[in-house]
Amino acid sequence: MFQIQSNIDVHSAAFKKNQSGYRALLDQFHSRMEQVHRGGPESAIKKHKSRNKLLARERIDLLVDRNTPFLELSSFAAWDQYRNQFPAAGIVTGIGLLHNRETVIIANDATVKGGTYIEETIKKHIRAQEIALENHIPIVYMVDSGGVFLPEQDKVFPDKYDFGRIFFNQSRLSAEGIPQVAIVMGSCTAGGAYVPAMSDEAIIVRNQGTIFIGGPPLVKAATGEDVSAEELGGADVHTRISGVADHLAENDTHAIQICRNIFEQMNPPLKQELSMEPIEPPACDPAELYGLIPVDPKKPIDPREIIMRLVDGSKFQEFKQHYAPTIVTGFARIMGYPVGIIANNGVLFSETSLKATHFIELCNFRKTPILFLQNITGFIVGKEYEHKGIAKDGAKLVHAVSTASVPKFTVIIGGSYGAGNYAMAGRAFDPRLLFMWPNARISVMGGEQAAEVLSRVKIDQLKAAGEEVPKEEIRKIKEGILHKYADESSAWYSTSRLWDDGIIDPVDTRKVVAMGIAMSLNKPYPDPRTGVYRM
Ligand code: COA
């Protein structure tokens, strides 16, 4: 495979300017990460520790294999919402190794409003379960939660993807033969009681874990009975009397050790095989990405410059290099894994769509996972292109992306707008993981275009009614839309609402994609199967 060469002058003023702009974005990213990793308020952390309990992230550190990475998901869920009272939405989720087996970990953070669930907490929990289901990997639940956050009941209780979905998913995961182990390390109330009850095995910590459908205040209100939490549903009750839990642990560390022992006994899964090569770092320094990525999303960037800083040895076997240049397709390796890459290099035309569709078919038949690098304003518009059938060619690409039989991974490295988001494996197209770079932006169209469309609609309405067009009103419409889109299209807005699996530092992209491919191997890739392509 050829090593591709850079055309960028890393000593140029433009490169240096970009680099310093990007470093400012990264500083913000790291300081916000530190903030959410601290968890709840100091007083809650103190109370938690005084009970001899470990913090959620400390528990995860002890659970995963030593010196192995933990890929945390959606660290900024609920960011800038609820007056930032729910760091990480009060739950830590991610993928780690347990006895060398990729495992989804879901840990409540009891320092954040008693580990209770708001809308984003549920979304995060359900997304983690979905990852386990798609990739056929086990789950460990580290439970320490007061159930739903009661003031938000209308947003967390009744709907299809609300709290109940967690237990529905547990049953489906179990039916698929996916192991689930719960460690009850604190409260486990109301519906939450089903988390351990529906797991394959449950561990509970003495004088600390409790499981009950209704807590002591509810029992008192309903029946008048006075009962302590421990008597009602403590570790002794559940491991000796009720059988709701299976293993009695003396403390957090002991409980985690029992969980690791359970994993040690499991049979390894049947894996998809991929041809591996020794890992090679990129020949071009990944840190140069900071100087390349235009902080101004309107400035174009040749995606090959990005690719050569992500892939092993900067080697890239480009496919159809000279055809349909607004999309770049080709094969490479990331941390030794083979990968097909599809990256935008301008708007999507008919021939661009056909080239990417052809490439997806190659990946399907070669059982090679696909990495989408999104930086897309959308499909080409205009009479000429409509007449040539851009809609049917775009449809072919959307179809190919939807039915791809190999795992897809998406990283939004620039803009993600309109149907371009769909054609490049946006969230609705089930990429196994989807991450944003801190500079990324996502919305149905750019703010300026939206402002233009809406003011044009207004002007046409007024003209049709034979009325004057008030310039000031039109200016206000435009300004309002521009402002709204600027705010809502930021990566922070997206990640807060779980439209993605998190924001990552661009230099970590290699590691993140490699972990994604590793986890995807736990479920053999099916043979290709597509539907009807409109010709
Ligand atoms: N809904 C909304 N807020 C809740 C809550 C709930 N279900 N459970 C706890 N909280 C809030 C508390 O009001 C408190 O908020 P504050 O920090 O702003 O004062 C914070 O979470 C911590 O609660 P606190 O009771 O001080 O902490 P704790 O560690 O001693 O106990 C629980 C935590 C979860 C065991 C305990 O609060 C509890 O039993 N809550 C009720 C659980 C319940 O009945 N849930 C039913 C859900 S269907």
Side-chain angles (χ1 to χ4, degrees), residues 17-22 25 290 292-298 439:
K17 187 165 169 251
N18 253 341
Q19 203 172 34
S20 72
Y22 212 86
L25 272 184
Y290 303 146
L292 286 175
I293 308 162
V295 178
D296 174 0
K298 285 201 207 90
N439 58 296

Side-chain angles (χ1 to χ4, degrees), residues 47 51 113-114 116 146-151 187 189-190:
K47 182 155 92 174
R51 292 167 171 167
K113 298 280 179 198
T116 52
V148 304
F149 183 73
L150 292 169
S187 187
T189 309

Side-chain angles (χ1 to χ4, degrees), residues 13 43 75 84 116 374 420 487:
S43 55
S75 310
N84 270 334
T116 52
Q374 270 203 25
D487 177 36

Side-chain angles (χ1 to χ4, degrees), residues 101 185 212 248 279 379 420 508 530:
R101 186 167 180 165
M185 311 175 103
F212 29 65
L248 179 64
I279 300 173
F379 283 91
D508 290 335
T530 58

Side-chain angles (χ1 to χ4, degrees), residues 215-233:
L218 186 67
V219 172
K220 175 76 182 166
T223 67
E225 190 185 5
D226 273 313
V227 61
S228 73
E230 201 56 34
E231 273 177 290
L232 185 63

Side-chain angles (χ1 to χ4, degrees), residues 396-407:
K396 290 186 190 84
L397 177 54
V398 171
H399 186 114
V401 167
S402 310
T403 57
S405 52
V406 288

Side-chain angles (χ1 to χ4, degrees), residues 41 43-44 47-48 51 53 85-86 110-118 144-152 157 163 186-192 210 212-218:
S43 55
K47 182 155 92 174
H48 189 87
R51 292 167 171 167
K53 288 162 74 172
Q85 287 186 92
F86 285 89
T111 69
V112 178
K113 298 280 179 198
T116 52
Y117 282 66
I118 50 171
D144 197 345
S145 161
V148 304
F149 183 73
L150 292 169
E152 292 278 314
F157 172 62
F163 203 59
S187 187
C188 196
T189 309
T210 51
F212 29 65
I213 299 293
L218 186 67

Side-chain angles (χ1 to χ4, degrees), residues 138-192:
I139 305 186
V140 174
Y141 302 95
M142 303 180 108
V143 193
D144 197 345
S145 161
V148 304
F149 183 73
L150 292 169
E152 292 278 314
Q153 73 90 21
D154 64 332
K155 297 194 185 67
V156 294
F157 172 62
D159 208 355
K160 181 168 173 175
Y161 292 104
D162 285 350
F163 203 59
R165 194 72 184 186
I166 292 173
F167 317 114
F168 175 77
N169 282 347
Q170 279 193 258
S171 317
R172 287 172 59 225
L173 284 152
S174 180
E176 289 291 323
I178 297 171
Q180 296 170 90
V181 176
I183 316 178
V184 182
M185 311 175 103
S187 187
C188 196
T189 309

